[in-house]
Amino acid sequence: MTSYITRNYEALEERRMTDIFEGFKKKKDYLVCIDSDGCAMDTMDIKHISCFGPCLIYIWELEKWKDQVQKRWNEINLYTMSRGINRFKGLEATLREVDTRYKKIDGLEELTTWVNTAEELSNNSLKEYMEGRRNQILQMALEWSERVNRQVEMLPKKAKMPFPGVEKGLQAIHQAADVAIVSSANQQAIIEEWKEYGLLEYTDIVLSQDAGSKSYCIKRLLTYGYEKEQVLMIGDAPGDWEAANSNGILYYPILVKKEMNSWSRILDEGLDKFLIGSYKGTYQKQRIEEFEENLT
Ligand SMILES: [Mg+2]
């Protein structure tokens, strides 16, 4: 059964790849993959602080503990090694703490089971899973997730800006390397946000959640003939690092709350090291140590 599901999933990824990668050509020897949310675009804090957290407090009626719940939501999703975790995993972890500390959460085990066993954690997969089932907590989780999406859409444009230094950094990177956006956000949202600030012109391909996982996208990009040591992933979350690591490419972290410094640093020293081949080793090790320290 498992292998059947895996085979189908691969076939699906193949199909996605053919469409999205169509027209992409390797132009340079170097490739830089860049994550969007929380890396190039300053969108993570606002989404979590004004949308994810408040919707959770609203749906589960946690107003009485709203400061504590929001604080833990932020820590889990933004400021520790679980930064960038899937929203449903973040939800389950937060509700588990709420259940222990503040208020009994009915049906929590059912949410845990779905989160730990589902092939995909998304609104669509949750809807499919609920077909023919009546389940209150899963229904609430879906309502929460859809409410979050609506609120994110309603955020004003100026709440979704790039970090200072991104344009300058991208400009320099794009002169030397092909640039791929590798993100698990929605394709349309990425294109709109990057276009709005004139950043799209410094990119060669946009790989979003529809293109497959970040690790899968990097794997496909490597098939265009880049040397692994000439491919760099820039990201802000442990998941970005894992995607880079699993493909044997280099990683440069954008540090949360120090994003501007991180972008000026890649411009001042990281990019040169990458281009002359001295990035790997001590320099990368130091960056990753800082990254881990910053998230603990
Ligand atoms: Mg990110």
Side-chain angles (χ1 to χ4, degrees), residues 35-41 43-44 83-84 182-184 214 234-237 240:
D35 172 58
S36 184
D37 276 18
C39 174
M41 305 300 296
T43 49
M44 290 271 284
R83 176 176 174 86
V182 176
S183 160
S184 49
K214 289 179 183 176
I234 303 179
D236 63 288
D240 301 320

Side-chain angles (χ1 to χ4, degrees), residues 223-236:
T223 66
Y224 285 79
Y226 300 98
E227 297 291 332
K228 287 186 176 184
E229 296 195 0
Q230 296 184 338
V231 182
L232 174 71
M233 170 83 197
I234 303 179
D236 63 288

Side-chain angles (χ1 to χ4, degrees), residues 30 85 126 136 162 205 235 240 286 289 296:
Y30 295 87
I85 190 177
L126 181 52
Q136 204 198 349
I205 186 169
D240 301 320
Q286 285 168 349
E289 277 168 11
T296 45

Side-chain angles (χ1 to χ4, degrees), residues 52-149:
F52 283 99
C55 289
L56 162 67
I57 290 156
Y58 174 80
I59 298 274
W60 272 273
E61 297 176 0
L62 303 171
E63 280 77 10
K64 202 172 151 190
W65 308 277
K66 71 174 170 38
D67 293 343
Q68 298 93 311
V69 174
Q70 182 71 58
K71 184 168 179 277
R72 280 304 293 146
W73 176 269
N74 296 348
E75 283 165 359
I76 291 169
N77 293 278
L78 294 169
Y79 306 131
T80 60
M81 282 302 277
S82 48
R83 176 176 174 86
I85 190 177
N86 172 279
R87 64 171 68 182
F88 292 105
K89 286 190 182 171
L91 176 69
E92 194 270 341
T94 308
L95 286 178
R96 187 155 290 284
E97 290 191 14
V98 169
D99 183 68
T100 312
R101 290 185 195 169
Y102 311 117
K103 181 183 168 182
K104 167 123 184 61
I105 301 296
D106 291 327
L108 185 56
E109 289 311 317
E110 290 152 297
L111 179 64
T112 305
T113 303
W114 178 69
V115 163
N116 290 338
T117 58
E119 288 270 311
E120 186 186 309
L121 297 174
S122 67
N123 288 7
N124 281 340
S125 72
L126 181 52
K127 273 184 210 157
E128 271 172 35
Y129 182 81
M130 286 197 315
E131 266 171 35
R133 279 189 176 90
R134 277 191 129 188
N135 187 303
Q136 204 198 349
I137 194 164
L138 295 180
Q139 186 61 46
M140 286 165 83
L142 182 61
E143 264 171 47
W144 163 77
S145 185
E146 290 177 340
R147 192 179 175 88
V148 167
N149 288 356

Side-chain angles (χ1 to χ4, degrees), residues 14 17 21 215-224 247:
E14 284 300 326
M17 193 277 291
F21 282 70
S215 170
Y216 174 81
C217 290
I218 295 170
K219 193 173 112 188
R220 299 315 301 216
L221 287 168
L222 286 172
T223 66
Y224 285 79
N247 281 289

